Amino acid sequence: MDCITICATCAAPGQAPEGAALADALCKGLRDGVVVRLVDCLNVCHSPVALSIRGAGKTAYLFAGVDPATQAAEVRKLADLYAAAPGGEITDARPLGQLRHGLIGRIPA
């Protein structure tokens, strides 16, 4: 089972946190076999909203600067590509649109 973890406290200065809104948007149309969870902090406070995707024995990815209002579909596409990629290694991120530019880290399995 793959897991998308979203920072629940990510917020631009003076703004309300948007992680829960992204989680809600993701759950509409997300493929089976993906769990979405909220955590208090992913330590990428300078670029909200942050999220990660990981699965057992797979490479993990960390993204920041995700816009809940416009990028939920790209995150769902990420989940699809991740599920289909052997070991979680996504070799062509172009289908992720703007989300691919928010990648800040890859952690090998």
Side-chain angles (χ1 to χ4, degrees):
M1 183 164 296
D2 297 332
C3 182
I4 297 174
T5 302
I6 302 169
C7 180
T9 57
C10 267
Q15 301 294 316
E18 295 185 289
L22 179 57
D24 288 344
L26 281 182
C27 290
K28 297 173 183 120
L30 192 63
R31 69 171 187 79
D32 290 337
V34 180
V35 172
V36 175
R37 70 180 184 139
L38 291 168
V39 296
D40 284 340
C41 187
L42 288 175
N43 205 28
V44 192
C45 304
H46 65 280
S47 189
V49 168
L51 67 86
S52 68
I53 188 166
R54 68 180 323 146
K58 292 180 162 184
T59 295
Y61 294 90
L62 179 63
F63 293 85
V66 180
D67 183 349
T70 63
Q71 292 185 287
E74 293 174 349
V75 178
R76 284 191 295 275
K77 181 66 175 178
L78 169 65
D80 293 341
L81 286 176
Y82 191 73
E89 295 280 337
I90 298 171
T91 57
D92 184 3
R94 289 176 294 179
L96 298 178
Q98 291 302 307
L99 181 65
R100 72 184 187 277
H101 300 296
L103 177 64
I104 60 170
R106 183 177 76 88
I107 304 162

